[in-house]
Amino acid sequence: MAKVLMVCLGNICRSPLAEGILRMKSIKFKIDIQIDSAGTSNYHIGQHPDRRTISNALSHGVDVSQLKARQFIVSDFDDFDHIYVMDHSNYSDVIALARTEVDKKKVTLILNCIYPNSNMSVPDPYFGGEQGFEKVFILLDNACEAIAEALKRTS
Ligand code: 4NP
């Protein structure tokens, strides 16, 4: 079974949404995936996702209301095969904790799954308005569709 970890800064907006969307895709594609998410920061440990994330996700049929934020830890490199980060700052923070080249190879900017080699970031919606959350949903929905499709092909 593939093991996938989604990572952002706070683990209350982008990565819990990516976790929920990929879980929905795993049902659609009929694949077993172990999915989790984490934040590089300790800002929101133990908290449920941001209320704007919860309501935007629900409007698309995805329930992330029960998830709880946790911080990324070094042993996540052992526990997951694929670590998808949302932006460049998440990428540097996670890579800084990598112990080996094998660890580093697990880390990918999630939008490279749909825009190869573009190194684009999923914009942080936390300080913006509601429309930022919808934009993030569309980006992550497309990326998670591609991730699930690829895992289906190799399963
Ligand atoms: P996330 O968004 O990384 O997508 O969960 C953020 C959540 C909280 C903060 C920043 C980004 N914050 O600074 O508290």
Side-chain angles (χ1 to χ4, degrees):
M1 187 188 7
K3 292 179 273 185
V4 174
L5 182 67
M6 302 294 188
V7 175
C8 63
L9 174 62
N11 194 207
I12 56 166
C13 295
R14 294 164 293 176
S15 61
L17 181 62
E19 176 181 350
I21 294 172
L22 187 60
R23 194 158 286 129
M24 179 178 70
K25 301 290 182 190
S26 73
I27 296 164
K28 173 178 169 186
F29 284 87
K30 299 190 174 66
I31 40 175
D32 264 340
I33 316 176
Q34 185 184 313
I35 312 164
D36 195 10
S37 64
T40 55
S41 76
N42 61 7
Y43 305 158
H44 297 280
I45 291 174
Q47 294 178 15
H48 293 298
D50 187 284
R51 59 177 175 74
R52 296 163 295 176
T53 295
I54 293 174
S55 68
N56 176 269
L58 265 186
S59 78
H60 294 281
V62 180
D63 183 4
V64 295
S65 64
Q66 297 311 307
L67 299 179
K68 278 196 182 156
R70 72 165 178 92
Q71 191 168 21
F72 180 86
I73 47 176
V74 171
S75 60
D76 285 324
F77 286 114
D78 302 320
D79 294 340
F80 295 93
D81 311 309
H82 304 283
I83 299 171
Y84 292 108
V85 297
M86 302 295 137
D87 64 30
H88 288 268
S89 147
N90 309 151
Y91 186 85
S92 331
D93 289 344
V94 171
I95 287 289
L97 295 172
R99 302 151 300 181
T100 61
E101 285 305 309
V102 173
D103 286 355
K104 287 184 187 171
K105 283 213 175 74
K106 294 183 175 186
V107 187
T108 308
L109 278 165
I110 194 167
L111 292 187
N112 278 353
C113 300
I114 41 174
Y115 306 115
N117 305 313
S118 67
N119 296 332
M120 283 168 55
S121 289
V122 178
D124 182 350
Y126 186 67
F127 295 106
E130 306 284 338
Q131 78 282 6
F133 285 80
E134 181 61 13
K135 181 177 174 185
V136 165
F137 185 93
I138 293 163
L139 289 170
L140 291 178
D141 189 57
N142 288 330
C144 289
E145 177 96 8
I147 290 167
E149 243 170 28
L151 289 175
K152 176 85 182 173
R153 264 185 268 118
T154 57
S155 69

